Amino acid sequence: MMDWEQKTLLNELTQGRELTNLLRKHLHPSSSPHTRQALLEKILFSYEKALSMLNCNGFVVEAKPTGNTLESPASVIANNSSPRSEGSDKKDVFKKRKTSSGWTEQIRVCSGTSLEGPLDDGYCWRKYGQKDILGSNFPRGYYRCTHRHSRGCLATKQVQRSDQDPSIFEVKYRGRHTCNQASQLAAVTTKSNHSRQKQQLEEKQKQSQETFLSYGTGLKVKTEELDNRENIFPSFTFPVGSEEVDNTGIFVNSLMENDIMGNLSPSFLSPATSESNYFSVSPCHMGSFGNLGQNVQTSESDLTEIISAPTSVTNSPIGEYLDFPSLDKLEFDSSFPFDNPEFFL
DNA sequence: TGTATTTGACCACT
DNA sequence: AGTGGTCAAATACA
């Protein structure tokens, strides 16, 4: 009997296949390029989500030996080989202990004088565990996305209060949020007026800014070193055919929402100093707090703001990721092996 | 009553 | 064997 993850995986793959067939029908020159691009993004998202699920469940999709993957490249083994599933009446789940190398992001949040706990980072988290950690005065809380089951979102995070400064919460993010990508893509495909999007976003930012202010001052976020950055983009692919700026915007939009906004939740933070890994919260992006939930759409213009942040962030992992949207300047050789499956691994 | 949190137990990893 | 991550039943809460 299939569990929900398998169903979700199957659905994503099936959807990818159907969308690919649909795209094939739209390859006719008379078809709208926007439609093709939208279909392409949906296909990419479906496969991205499926691959993400596989990565998080003990499969290794990465073909390249990176030395930082969760498992060796040779261990492309299905999770049903787990000892726990053998001769056990417990639920057939794969429970693999995650090592530090599996973390995709480490963020330190200081909520100033408030000791109420870490800030809402814009996503809905559900606590599923708490553990006393050796050498730490405070227990570590384990959270996963509220929409893990309903939308197959595999994002998780750990929150632990700092021993040195109890007002500091160390937040480690893992996995990407896929729970809001569908609505995001739908919004992109149905909206062509970006200025209107920006206007709507600004309104939301304005409304939620008051909420942010209630959190107090002194918020800072520190990005830690990423042990294996390929986990952030486990199957990163370039957009195919960037003949239009809008198309690239769609790509950036979806990718940012999926990977940056998911893995690096406080990605709306702007760099505070050029030499520090600390990020101060820029009020202009704080609209993301509290209401950047599953259905909030991030406009291209807003993303551009984030992306075009000073290059000083290149010292940080976030900065490096924020640099990638300059892909819109990339040009692909017509001989680029898109038909080579290895490229997509 | 549905949803979120707590918490002890289980299990993988080192 | 110790430690940390996750599960799931019990409990709390709106």
Side-chain angles (χ1 to χ4, degrees):
Chain A
M1 172 125 179
M2 276 191 188
D3 60 19
W4 67 270
E5 281 188 350
Q6 287 175 299
K7 288 179 181 176
T8 305
L9 181 61
L10 192 61
N11 285 339
E12 290 300 328
L13 292 173
T14 304
Q15 185 178 348
R17 185 183 61 186
E18 291 172 353
L19 287 169
T20 304
N21 285 328
L22 204 57
L23 177 62
R24 185 165 59 184
K25 294 176 183 176
H26 282 80
L27 286 178
H28 194 274
S30 63
S31 181
S32 165
H34 287 280
T35 303
R36 290 198 296 266
Q37 186 68 30
L39 285 170
L40 184 64
E41 298 302 330
K42 288 181 180 180
I43 292 168
L44 284 173
F45 170 68
S46 286
Y47 285 124
E48 191 73 22
K49 189 172 178 179
L51 289 169
S52 174
M53 293 186 69
L54 289 172
N55 270 334
C56 291
N57 284 284
F59 291 82
V60 171
V61 183
E62 195 77 43
K64 293 179 292 185
T66 63
N68 284 328
T69 51
L70 285 172
E71 298 180 342
S72 68
S75 59
V76 185
I77 302 170
N79 62 14
N80 53 14
S81 63
S82 167
R84 187 179 183 176
S85 63
E86 295 175 358
S88 170
D89 56 352
K90 290 237 172 194
K91 187 182 176 183
D92 184 19
V93 293
F94 180 79
K95 198 162 78 172
K96 177 180 173 59
R97 181 177 179 176
K98 293 180 175 60
T99 61
S100 60
S101 63
W103 292 107
T104 57
E105 173 67 349
Q106 291 187 11
I107 293 175
R108 180 174 296 173
V109 176
C110 171
S111 53
T113 57
S114 170
L115 297 178
E116 295 172 359
L119 288 171
D120 176 15
D121 54 16
Y123 287 94
C124 298
W125 299 100
R126 178 169 182 159
K127 191 174 186 177
Y128 66 88
Q130 180 171 301
K131 196 80 174 179
D132 287 324
I133 302 302
L134 198 70
S136 298
N137 297 330
F138 302 100
R140 177 179 299 168
Y142 298 89
Y143 299 82
R144 61 168 155 249
C145 181
T146 302
H147 308 287
R148 180 183 178 92
H149 289 272
S150 59
R151 304 185 193 182
C153 182
L154 298 172
T156 62
K157 73 171 180 180
Q158 296 180 357
V159 178
Q160 186 168 18
R161 184 173 289 189
S162 171
D163 290 336
Q164 288 73 29
D165 186 353
S167 65
I168 293 178
F169 292 84
E170 295 187 7
V171 184
K172 297 180 181 180
Y173 290 90
R174 188 175 199 279
R176 73 186 65 192
H177 279 278
T178 56
C179 51
N180 56 353
Q181 182 67 16
S183 60
Q184 170 70 18
L185 285 169
V188 168
T189 57
T190 54
K191 289 186 179 181
S192 58
N193 189 337
H194 289 157
S195 61
R196 182 166 146 242
Q197 280 183 275
K198 184 176 182 179
Q199 186 179 354
Q200 289 177 342
L201 186 80
E202 286 172 351
E203 289 177 4
K204 288 176 181 177
Q205 290 175 342
K206 192 175 180 180
Q207 291 170 358
S208 58
Q209 197 164 341
E210 296 176 6
T211 306
F212 160 64
L213 291 175
S214 67
Y215 283 112
T217 59
L219 176 74
K220 58 183 178 182
V221 176
K222 179 185 179 184
T223 60
E224 307 280 355
E225 281 190 24
L226 299 184
D227 292 331
N228 59 334
R229 294 170 184 179
E230 54 270 38
N231 270 342
I232 293 196
F233 301 110
S235 58
F236 180 78
T237 56
F238 293 104
V240 180
S242 54
E243 68 269 15
E244 293 183 20
V245 175
D246 280 356
N247 290 348
T248 308
I250 292 172
F251 165 72
V252 170
N253 216 346
S254 61
L255 200 62
M256 287 289 289
E257 185 70 21
N258 192 28
D259 293 318
I260 299 298
M261 303 303 277
N263 272 316
L264 314 176
S265 291
S267 61
F268 34 78
L269 310 179
S270 62
T273 64
S274 59
E275 297 299 324
S276 171
N277 278 339
Y278 281 85
F279 285 70
S280 67
V281 174
S282 170
C284 68
H285 291 138
M286 287 312 296
S288 303
F289 272 107
N291 72 349
L292 196 137
Q294 281 59 44
N295 294 317
V296 175
Q297 297 140 10
T298 306
S299 72
E300 178 200 35
S301 56
D302 190 57
L303 289 169
T304 305
E305 267 186 60
I306 301 173
I307 294 159
S308 61
T311 53
S312 57
V313 297
T314 51
N315 283 342
S316 73
I318 289 180
E320 291 179 16
Y321 292 128
L322 292 183
D323 278 341
F324 73 79
S326 60
L327 292 169
D328 60 357
K329 294 183 175 61
L330 287 175
E331 293 182 6
F332 291 98
D333 193 310
S334 58
S335 63
F336 192 85
F338 286 114
D339 55 344
N340 183 1
E342 290 185 8
F343 172 73
F344 295 96
L345 292 177

